Amino acid sequence: MDVRALEDSRSDAELVAASVAGDRGAFAAIYDRYADRLHDFCWSLLRDRDEAADATQDAFLVAAERLGQLRDPERLRPWLYAVARSQALRRARARQRVAPEEEMIDRPDTAAGPERATEQADLRELVWNAAAGLSERDRALLDLHLRQGLEGAELGEAMGIPAGHAYVLLSRLRDQVERSLGALLVARLGRRDCPDLAKLLTGWDGRFSPLIRKRVARHVDDCDVCGERRRVVASPLALLAAVPPLPAPAALRDRVLEGLQLTGVHGTQPPGQGP
């Protein structure tokens, strides 16, 4: 039986208090509640399954060490995202670049017809991979808001910035993504409709470099045909929000809970909640 199927009814604050007091079962419940979400977030930043699993493990072990420093236990969720963001970006910077994972978007929306589902999956993959070219901060901000559901104070806490600043950054980023990644969709889908765009993209290797992004976005802004095409294609933000989540590997739970022996979280645990 999947131990994560036994949902702990305690609140985040109660789980934090019990964990700090030494209840390993409480920390296991925190893991079960947030592991899949944090792993998906790390994956969105790192675009590598193994790296995402390692970053998630690091995040939980760091969280176990610092849980007693959490001033407001009710803010556990944004705090965990902040810890995960730090660990994921540490790994991203260590390897100097983030490479998209080719096999990510392989689960089409079965609610739509087969052709429509395939088209939507292709567009999601296209925009998802293009979003990898955003800065680390912007990728994290978009994912936390669009795919993890954080907003307001929680979004600011997870990003380590004031909520008002997060709102301003997100507003600007939304406009940038709709314009630049919308231009990417036009570049991929609209060359047959616009000779000028086709000429602009002569010799294009398909990579959405900053130079190509600026050139295409500028063209789309000034072209009636491409401007209309951008208005009718799917919203890049909606496509990013629809990227399927990637749950944490089942084996990661044991790795994390075994690692707690090294972080100072000790004590008893209820039956069925052990590592």
Side-chain angles (χ1 to χ4, degrees):
M1 178 177 62
D2 185 352
V3 292
R4 283 191 281 183
L6 302 175
E7 178 69 25
D8 196 301
S9 62
R10 286 176 287 181
S11 68
D12 282 355
E14 290 171 330
L15 290 176
V16 169
S19 297
V20 171
D23 183 351
R24 286 174 54 87
F27 193 83
I30 291 175
Y31 177 90
D32 293 341
R33 185 169 295 175
Y34 290 108
D36 287 345
R37 305 181 204 178
L38 295 183
H39 178 267
D40 182 59
F41 175 55
C42 290
W43 170 66
S44 75
L45 297 181
L46 294 164
R47 309 298 180 92
D48 180 279
R49 293 173 188 262
D50 292 335
E51 289 268 25
D54 289 343
T56 304
Q57 177 178 346
D58 292 345
F60 275 107
L61 295 183
V62 169
E65 292 177 339
R66 301 178 183 173
L67 204 55
Q69 302 172 18
L70 181 57
R71 295 181 180 179
D72 183 357
E74 294 183 354
R75 311 301 291 178
L76 175 64
R77 182 171 82 139
W79 182 75
L80 285 175
Y81 275 112
V83 175
R85 172 175 167 268
S86 176
Q87 295 305 310
L89 294 185
R90 178 179 63 82
R91 288 184 171 274
R93 288 163 184 160
R95 70 185 188 187
Q96 297 300 314
R97 66 186 183 88
V98 177
E101 184 173 336
E102 295 180 355
E103 61 175 322
M104 283 188 297
I105 309 304
D106 55 1
R107 287 163 286 183
D109 182 4
T110 55
E115 293 183 3
R116 178 64 174 170
T118 300
E119 177 186 353
Q120 288 297 307
D122 289 344
L123 291 178
R124 281 201 303 268
E125 182 175 14
L126 176 63
V127 172
W128 177 252
N129 288 337
L134 297 171
S135 69
E136 294 170 342
R137 182 198 67 184
D138 289 348
R139 283 200 310 278
L141 187 63
L142 268 185
D143 194 81
L144 286 170
H145 179 67
L146 292 178
R147 301 182 65 247
Q148 309 302 330
L150 274 66
E151 56 186 31
E154 285 196 332
L155 181 60
E157 289 178 39
M159 290 294 298
I161 56 180
H165 188 200
Y167 175 82
V168 172
L169 290 176
L170 183 60
S171 179
R172 292 175 180 173
L173 184 57
R174 280 176 167 274
D175 292 340
Q176 174 191 342
V177 167
E178 287 289 356
R179 180 174 181 267
S180 62
L181 298 192
L184 168 63
L185 294 176
V186 173
R188 287 294 178 90
L189 303 174
R191 277 188 284 184
R192 295 180 180 179
D193 301 326
C194 179
D196 290 338
L197 178 61
K199 182 178 180 181
L200 176 66
L201 295 175
T202 300
W204 182 40
D205 63 2
R207 298 181 181 180
F208 206 47
S209 67
L211 178 60
I212 287 293
R213 182 170 64 241
K214 290 178 181 178
R215 286 179 176 176
V216 173
R218 190 180 303 118
H219 168 81
V220 173
D221 288 343
D222 296 334
C223 175
D224 291 339
V225 173
C226 293
E228 179 61 24
R229 165 71 78 162
R230 182 168 60 188
R231 281 189 289 272
V232 300
V233 297
S235 163
L237 290 172
L239 290 170
L240 287 173
V243 171
L246 187 69
L252 185 60
R253 188 180 193 272
D254 289 343
R255 285 167 47 189
V256 168
L257 298 184
E258 288 171 1
L260 294 186
Q261 298 172 4
L262 306 176
T263 64
V265 178
H266 302 290
T268 59
Q269 53 199 19
Q273 291 291 327

